[in-house]
Amino acid sequence: EIVLTQSPATLSLSPGERATLSCRASQSVSSYLAWYQQKPGQAPRLLIYDASNRATGIPARFSGSGSGTDFTLTISSLETEDFAVYFCQQRRNFGQGTKLEIK
Amino acid sequence: QVQLQQWGAGLLKPSETLSLTCVVYGGSFSGYYWTWIRQPPEKGLEWIGEINHSGSTNYNSSLESRVSISGDTSKNQFSLRLTSVTAADTAVYYCARRTQLRNWFDPWGQGTLVTVSS
């Protein structure tokens, strides 16, 4: 089973700042990695698939990169609605999440 | 635009059977894997299992002895049954779609909180 480790657990930033979230896989997953955003009381929403492709309707400030074992989700300039929990996923495996909170 | 709407009992006693149904609106049942995922309170996501339009299923090995997923293509819906529930099964349960040969889930149902308590 592949283990996905996200870091940091919590990230405190201000609106307008750049956010960089990391997801590391215990073995290579090629580019088969997705990112989701989850707000309180809501289902996860797909942001990025296959490591770097934005899902339909996702703003351009969200970008994904990486391959193999190391992946990054970048939010170029934080909007207030971006403060949420972010999960990475590969097949049946999910990371434990990074909480992005307002500083 | 495809939407998933789910429903089912939200409060169970230990040893009872969890039963949830998810209906697919605005899209085909064929060509996809229909998935159940759960999230215990304040915790991460756990994949439970999936079914395709042909009825082929895959389950999380840790739940396999208690879980079954069935589908009804005539009604564009699929269902989850989890037997012998305990407090550890308390979670928000989500249905979701995975495209065949793809590795992501989109869209998701709205989620159903299932609480197991005596």
Side-chain angles (χ1 to χ4, degrees), chain A residues 6 21-23 33-37 45-49 51 64-65 71-73 86-89:
Chain A
Q6 292 187 240
L21 288 68
S22 174
C23 178
L33 190 100
W35 290 94
Y36 300 84
Q37 177 193 68
R45 176 175 71 145
L46 177 69
L47 297 176
I48 302 287
Y49 63 91
S65 63
F71 299 86
T72 300
L73 173 69
Y86 292 84
F87 293 98
C88 57
Q89 172 253 330

PDB file of all heavy atoms in Angstrom, chain A residues 6 21-23 33-37 45-49 51 64-65 71-73 86-89:
ATOM      1  N   GLN A   6       1.503  14.286   3.843  1.00  0.00           N
ATOM      2  CA  GLN A   6       1.374  15.695   3.502  1.00  0.00           C
ATOM      3  C   GLN A   6       2.073  16.562   4.549  1.00  0.00           C
ATOM      4  O   GLN A   6       2.078  16.253   5.741  1.00  0.00           O
ATOM      5  CB  GLN A   6      -0.107  16.086   3.422  1.00  0.00           C
ATOM      6  CG  GLN A   6      -0.830  15.438   2.260  1.00  0.00           C
ATOM      7  CD  GLN A   6      -2.237  15.966   2.090  1.00  0.00           C
ATOM      8  OE1 GLN A   6      -3.215  15.216   2.170  1.00  0.00           O
ATOM      9  NE2 GLN A   6      -2.362  17.268   1.836  1.00  0.00           N
ATOM     10  N   LEU A  21       1.994  23.593  -0.660  1.00  0.00           N
ATOM     11  CA  LEU A  21       1.641  22.394   0.090  1.00  0.00           C
ATOM     12  C   LEU A  21       2.333  21.203  -0.553  1.00  0.00           C
ATOM     13  O   LEU A  21       2.388  21.094  -1.780  1.00  0.00           O
ATOM     14  CB  LEU A  21       0.129  22.173   0.072  1.00  0.00           C
ATOM     15  CG  LEU A  21      -0.756  23.100   0.897  1.00  0.00           C
ATOM     16  CD1 LEU A  21      -0.765  24.520   0.350  1.00  0.00           C
ATOM     17  CD2 LEU A  21      -2.174  22.556   0.964  1.00  0.00           C
ATOM     18  N   SER A  22       2.786  20.291   0.287  1.00  0.00           N
ATOM     19  CA  SER A  22       3.566  19.160  -0.198  1.00  0.00           C
ATOM     20  C   SER A  22       2.864  17.841   0.054  1.00  0.00           C
ATOM     21  O   SER A  22       2.161  17.671   1.061  1.00  0.00           O
ATOM     22  CB  SER A  22       4.933  19.152   0.489  1.00  0.00           C
ATOM     23  OG  SER A  22       5.658  18.003   0.148  1.00  0.00           O
ATOM     24  N   CYS A  23       3.063  16.896  -0.841  1.00  0.00           N
ATOM     25  CA  CYS A  23       2.567  15.535  -0.699  1.00  0.00           C
ATOM     26  C   CYS A  23       3.675  14.601  -1.175  1.00  0.00           C
ATOM     27  O   CYS A  23       4.156  14.729  -2.309  1.00  0.00           O
ATOM     28  CB  CYS A  23       1.307  15.335  -1.531  1.00  0.00           C
ATOM     29  SG  CYS A  23       0.610  13.657  -1.490  1.00  0.00           S
ATOM     30  N   LEU A  33      -1.588  11.576  -9.396  1.00  0.00           N
ATOM     31  CA  LEU A  33      -1.894  12.186  -8.108  1.00  0.00           C
ATOM     32  C   LEU A  33      -2.913  13.295  -8.301  1.00  0.00           C
ATOM     33  O   LEU A  33      -2.837  14.057  -9.259  1.00  0.00           O
ATOM     34  CB  LEU A  33      -0.632  12.763  -7.453  1.00  0.00           C
ATOM     35  CG  LEU A  33      -0.888  13.179  -6.004  1.00  0.00           C
ATOM     36  CD1 LEU A  33      -0.373  12.110  -5.051  1.00  0.00           C
ATOM     37  CD2 LEU A  33      -0.334  14.531  -5.685  1.00  0.00           C
ATOM     38  N   ALA A  34      -3.864  13.360  -7.366  1.00  0.00           N
ATOM     39  CA  ALA A  34      -4.892  14.391  -7.410  1.00  0.00           C
ATOM     40  C   ALA A  34      -4.885  15.189  -6.106  1.00  0.00           C
ATOM     41  O   ALA A  34      -4.420  14.703  -5.071  1.00  0.00           O
ATOM     42  CB  ALA A  34      -6.269  13.762  -7.617  1.00  0.00           C
ATOM     43  N   TRP A  35      -5.402  16.403  -6.201  1.00  0.00           N
ATOM     44  CA  TRP A  35      -5.543  17.279  -5.039  1.00  0.00           C
ATOM     45  C   TRP A  35      -7.012  17.691  -4.896  1.00  0.00           C
ATOM     46  O   TRP A  35      -7.695  17.958  -5.890  1.00  0.00           O
ATOM     47  CB  TRP A  35      -4.699  18.535  -5.204  1.00  0.00           C
ATOM     48  CG  TRP A  35      -3.222  18.340  -5.128  1.00  0.00           C
ATOM     49  CD1 TRP A  35      -2.356  18.137  -6.166  1.00  0.00           C
ATOM     50  CD2 TRP A  35      -2.416  18.379  -3.944  1.00  0.00           C
ATOM     51  NE1 TRP A  35      -1.064  18.033  -5.702  1.00  0.00           N
ATOM     52  CE2 TRP A  35      -1.080  18.190  -4.333  1.00  0.00           C
ATOM     53  CE3 TRP A  35      -2.685  18.566  -2.587  1.00  0.00           C
ATOM     54  CZ2 TRP A  35      -0.015  18.170  -3.419  1.00  0.00           C
ATOM     55  CZ3 TRP A  35      -1.642  18.544  -1.686  1.00  0.00           C
ATOM     56  CH2 TRP A  35      -0.323  18.343  -2.104  1.00  0.00           C
ATOM     57  N   TYR A  36      -7.461  17.776  -3.651  1.00  0.00           N
ATOM     58  CA  TYR A  36      -8.826  18.176  -3.335  1.00  0.00           C
ATOM     59  C   TYR A  36      -8.816  19.277  -2.284  1.00  0.00           C
ATOM     60  O   TYR A  36      -7.930  19.331  -1.427  1.00  0.00           O
ATOM     61  CB  TYR A  36      -9.638  16.998  -2.776  1.00  0.00           C
ATOM     62  CG  TYR A  36      -9.741  15.830  -3.721  1.00  0.00           C
ATOM     63  CD1 TYR A  36      -8.726  14.881  -3.784  1.00  0.00           C
ATOM     64  CD2 TYR A  36     -10.835  15.672  -4.559  1.00  0.00           C
ATOM     65  CE1 TYR A  36      -8.798  13.817  -4.663  1.00  0.00           C
ATOM     66  CE2 TYR A  36     -10.920  14.602  -5.434  1.00  0.00           C
ATOM     67  CZ  TYR A  36      -9.889  13.686  -5.482  1.00  0.00           C
ATOM     68  OH  TYR A  36      -9.963  12.630  -6.356  1.00  0.00           O
ATOM     69  N   GLN A  37      -9.833  20.108  -2.339  1.00  0.00           N
ATOM     70  CA  GLN A  37     -10.069  21.131  -1.328  1.00  0.00           C
ATOM     71  C   GLN A  37     -11.341  20.747  -0.571  1.00  0.00           C
ATOM     72  O   GLN A  37     -12.342  20.362  -1.195  1.00  0.00           O
ATOM     73  CB  GLN A  37     -10.278  22.491  -1.991  1.00  0.00           C
ATOM     74  CG  GLN A  37     -10.609  23.630  -1.053  1.00  0.00           C
ATOM     75  CD  GLN A  37     -11.092  24.846  -1.822  1.00  0.00           C
ATOM     76  OE1 GLN A  37     -12.168  24.828  -2.422  1.00  0.00           O
ATOM     77  NE2 GLN A  37     -10.291  25.905  -1.816  1.00  0.00           N
ATOM     78  N   ARG A  45     -13.626  18.774  -3.035  1.00  0.00           N
ATOM     79  CA  ARG A  45     -13.790  19.231  -4.411  1.00  0.00           C
ATOM     80  C   ARG A  45     -12.484  18.991  -5.153  1.00  0.00           C
ATOM     81  O   ARG A  45     -11.420  19.382  -4.663  1.00  0.00           O
ATOM     82  CB  ARG A  45     -14.147  20.722  -4.442  1.00  0.00           C
ATOM     83  CG  ARG A  45     -14.245  21.298  -5.854  1.00  0.00           C
ATOM     84  CD  ARG A  45     -14.705  22.736  -5.873  1.00  0.00           C
ATOM     85  NE  ARG A  45     -13.720  23.673  -5.380  1.00  0.00           N
ATOM     86  CZ  ARG A  45     -13.549  24.915  -5.861  1.00  0.00           C
ATOM     87  NH1 ARG A  45     -14.285  25.320  -6.874  1.00  0.00           N
ATOM     88  NH2 ARG A  45     -12.656  25.722  -5.313  1.00  0.00           N
ATOM     89  N   LEU A  46     -12.570  18.370  -6.316  1.00  0.00           N
ATOM     90  CA  LEU A  46     -11.372  18.102  -7.106  1.00  0.00           C
ATOM     91  C   LEU A  46     -10.777  19.402  -7.607  1.00  0.00           C
ATOM     92  O   LEU A  46     -11.465  20.224  -8.223  1.00  0.00           O
ATOM     93  CB  LEU A  46     -11.725  17.192  -8.286  1.00  0.00           C
ATOM     94  CG  LEU A  46     -10.581  16.870  -9.256  1.00  0.00           C
ATOM     95  CD1 LEU A  46      -9.535  15.980  -8.595  1.00  0.00           C
ATOM     96  CD2 LEU A  46     -11.128  16.212 -10.531  1.00  0.00           C
ATOM     97  N   LEU A  47      -9.472  19.594  -7.363  1.00  0.00           N
ATOM     98  CA  LEU A  47      -8.751  20.766  -7.857  1.00  0.00           C
ATOM     99  C   LEU A  47      -7.842  20.403  -9.036  1.00  0.00           C
ATOM    100  O   LEU A  47      -7.842  21.054 -10.065  1.00  0.00           O
ATOM    101  CB  LEU A  47      -7.878  21.357  -6.749  1.00  0.00           C
ATOM    102  CG  LEU A  47      -8.530  21.905  -5.497  1.00  0.00           C
ATOM    103  CD1 LEU A  47      -7.441  22.337  -4.511  1.00  0.00           C
ATOM    104  CD2 LEU A  47      -9.439  23.069  -5.826  1.00  0.00           C
ATOM    105  N   ILE A  48      -7.011  19.403  -8.797  1.00  0.00           N
ATOM    106  CA  ILE A  48      -5.932  19.027  -9.718  1.00  0.00           C
ATOM    107  C   ILE A  48      -5.973  17.515  -9.924  1.00  0.00           C
ATOM    108  O   ILE A  48      -6.138  16.768  -8.956  1.00  0.00           O
ATOM    109  CB  ILE A  48      -4.552  19.400  -9.138  1.00  0.00           C
ATOM    110  CG1 ILE A  48      -4.461  20.893  -8.844  1.00  0.00           C
ATOM    111  CG2 ILE A  48      -3.433  18.929 -10.063  1.00  0.00           C
ATOM    112  CD1 ILE A  48      -4.346  21.793 -10.061  1.00  0.00           C
ATOM    113  N   TYR A  49      -5.817  17.071 -11.160  1.00  0.00           N
ATOM    114  CA  TYR A  49      -5.689  15.643 -11.433  1.00  0.00           C
ATOM    115  C   TYR A  49      -4.445  15.389 -12.271  1.00  0.00           C
ATOM    116  O   TYR A  49      -3.944  16.295 -12.950  1.00  0.00           O
ATOM    117  CB  TYR A  49      -6.943  15.087 -12.119  1.00  0.00           C
ATOM    118  CG  TYR A  49      -7.227  15.678 -13.482  1.00  0.00           C
ATOM    119  CD1 TYR A  49      -6.730  15.092 -14.631  1.00  0.00           C
ATOM    120  CD2 TYR A  49      -8.000  16.830 -13.609  1.00  0.00           C
ATOM    121  CE1 TYR A  49      -6.984  15.627 -15.879  1.00  0.00           C
ATOM    122  CE2 TYR A  49      -8.257  17.382 -14.846  1.00  0.00           C
ATOM    123  CZ  TYR A  49      -7.743  16.777 -15.982  1.00  0.00           C
ATOM    124  OH  TYR A  49      -8.002  17.315 -17.227  1.00  0.00           O
ATOM    125  N   ALA A  51      -1.514  15.194 -11.378  1.00  0.00           N
ATOM    126  CA  ALA A  51      -0.436  16.014 -10.819  1.00  0.00           C
ATOM    127  C   ALA A  51      -0.479  17.479 -11.193  1.00  0.00           C
ATOM    128  O   ALA A  51      -0.138  18.330 -10.364  1.00  0.00           O
ATOM    129  CB  ALA A  51       0.938  15.442 -11.174  1.00  0.00           C
ATOM    130  N   GLY A  64      -0.512  22.563  -9.807  1.00  0.00           N
ATOM    131  CA  GLY A  64       0.111  21.379  -9.257  1.00  0.00           C
ATOM    132  C   GLY A  64       1.344  21.008 -10.044  1.00  0.00           C
ATOM    133  O   GLY A  64       1.421  21.261 -11.254  1.00  0.00           O
ATOM    134  N   SER A  65       2.309  20.413  -9.347  1.00  0.00           N
ATOM    135  CA  SER A  65       3.535  19.979 -10.009  1.00  0.00           C
ATOM    136  C   SER A  65       4.067  18.739  -9.319  1.00  0.00           C
ATOM    137  O   SER A  65       3.630  18.382  -8.219  1.00  0.00           O
ATOM    138  CB  SER A  65       4.578  21.096  -9.992  1.00  0.00           C
ATOM    139  OG  SER A  65       4.954  21.411  -8.655  1.00  0.00           O
ATOM    140  N   PHE A  71       5.258  15.843  -4.758  1.00  0.00           N
ATOM    141  CA  PHE A  71       4.262  16.651  -5.431  1.00  0.00           C
ATOM    142  C   PHE A  71       3.995  17.922  -4.635  1.00  0.00           C
ATOM    143  O   PHE A  71       4.113  17.940  -3.401  1.00  0.00           O
ATOM    144  CB  PHE A  71       2.959  15.860  -5.590  1.00  0.00           C
ATOM    145  CG  PHE A  71       3.128  14.623  -6.412  1.00  0.00           C
ATOM    146  CD1 PHE A  71       3.552  13.436  -5.820  1.00  0.00           C
ATOM    147  CD2 PHE A  71       2.887  14.632  -7.772  1.00  0.00           C
ATOM    148  CE1 PHE A  71       3.730  12.286  -6.579  1.00  0.00           C
ATOM    149  CE2 PHE A  71       3.064  13.490  -8.533  1.00  0.00           C
ATOM    150  CZ  PHE A  71       3.488  12.319  -7.930  1.00  0.00           C
ATOM    151  N   THR A  72       3.608  18.960  -5.368  1.00  0.00           N
ATOM    152  CA  THR A  72       3.346  20.254  -4.744  1.00  0.00           C
ATOM    153  C   THR A  72       2.067  20.845  -5.298  1.00  0.00           C
ATOM    154  O   THR A  72       1.828  20.812  -6.506  1.00  0.00           O
ATOM    155  CB  THR A  72       4.507  21.225  -5.007  1.00  0.00           C
ATOM    156  OG1 THR A  72       5.721  20.674  -4.467  1.00  0.00           O
ATOM    157  CG2 THR A  72       4.245  22.574  -4.349  1.00  0.00           C
ATOM    158  N   LEU A  73       1.247  21.380  -4.391  1.00  0.00           N
ATOM    159  CA  LEU A  73       0.105  22.200  -4.771  1.00  0.00           C
ATOM    160  C   LEU A  73       0.460  23.631  -4.389  1.00  0.00           C
ATOM    161  O   LEU A  73       0.816  23.895  -3.234  1.00  0.00           O
ATOM    162  CB  LEU A  73      -1.159  21.765  -4.038  1.00  0.00           C
ATOM    163  CG  LEU A  73      -2.388  22.664  -4.248  1.00  0.00           C
ATOM    164  CD1 LEU A  73      -2.909  22.540  -5.680  1.00  0.00           C
ATOM    165  CD2 LEU A  73      -3.493  22.306  -3.244  1.00  0.00           C
ATOM    166  N   TYR A  86      -6.738  20.667   2.533  1.00  0.00           N
ATOM    167  CA  TYR A  86      -6.359  20.136   1.223  1.00  0.00           C
ATOM    168  C   TYR A  86      -5.831  18.716   1.389  1.00  0.00           C
ATOM    169  O   TYR A  86      -5.011  18.442   2.272  1.00  0.00           O
ATOM    170  CB  TYR A  86      -5.299  21.028   0.583  1.00  0.00           C
ATOM    171  CG  TYR A  86      -5.862  22.379   0.207  1.00  0.00           C
ATOM    172  CD1 TYR A  86      -5.954  23.402   1.148  1.00  0.00           C
ATOM    173  CD2 TYR A  86      -6.341  22.625  -1.076  1.00  0.00           C
ATOM    174  CE1 TYR A  86      -6.504  24.629   0.823  1.00  0.00           C
ATOM    175  CE2 TYR A  86      -6.886  23.846  -1.415  1.00  0.00           C
ATOM    176  CZ  TYR A  86      -6.975  24.840  -0.461  1.00  0.00           C
ATOM    177  OH  TYR A  86      -7.526  26.054  -0.784  1.00  0.00           O
ATOM    178  N   PHE A  87      -6.327  17.823   0.536  1.00  0.00           N
ATOM    179  CA  PHE A  87      -5.914  16.421   0.552  1.00  0.00           C
ATOM    180  C   PHE A  87      -5.278  16.056  -0.783  1.00  0.00           C
ATOM    181  O   PHE A  87      -5.735  16.498  -1.837  1.00  0.00           O
ATOM    182  CB  PHE A  87      -7.122  15.495   0.744  1.00  0.00           C
ATOM    183  CG  PHE A  87      -7.795  15.593   2.076  1.00  0.00           C
ATOM    184  CD1 PHE A  87      -8.932  16.368   2.251  1.00  0.00           C
ATOM    185  CD2 PHE A  87      -7.304  14.889   3.164  1.00  0.00           C
ATOM    186  CE1 PHE A  87      -9.564  16.455   3.472  1.00  0.00           C
ATOM    187  CE2 PHE A  87      -7.933  14.968   4.399  1.00  0.00           C
ATOM    188  CZ  PHE A  87      -9.063  15.753   4.555  1.00  0.00           C
ATOM    189  N   CYS A  88      -4.262  15.208  -0.731  1.00  0.00           N
ATOM    190  CA  CYS A  88      -3.783  14.583  -1.954  1.00  0.00           C
ATOM    191  C   CYS A  88      -4.305  13.144  -1.992  1.00  0.00           C
ATOM    192  O   CYS A  88      -4.680  12.577  -0.956  1.00  0.00           O
ATOM    193  CB  CYS A  88      -2.261  14.617  -2.062  1.00  0.00           C
ATOM    194  SG  CYS A  88      -1.337  13.852  -0.702  1.00  0.00           S
ATOM    195  N   GLN A  89      -4.359  12.586  -3.184  1.00  0.00           N
ATOM    196  CA  GLN A  89      -4.941  11.247  -3.365  1.00  0.00           C
ATOM    197  C   GLN A  89      -4.268  10.541  -4.530  1.00  0.00           C
ATOM    198  O   GLN A  89      -3.982  11.159  -5.573  1.00  0.00           O
ATOM    199  CB  GLN A  89      -6.439  11.361  -3.635  1.00  0.00           C
ATOM    200  CG  GLN A  89      -7.136  10.063  -4.022  1.00  0.00           C
ATOM    201  CD  GLN A  89      -7.510  10.026  -5.496  1.00  0.00           C
ATOM    202  OE1 GLN A  89      -7.773  11.067  -6.122  1.00  0.00           O
ATOM    203  NE2 GLN A  89      -7.550   8.838  -6.079  1.00  0.00           N
TER     204      GLN A  89
END
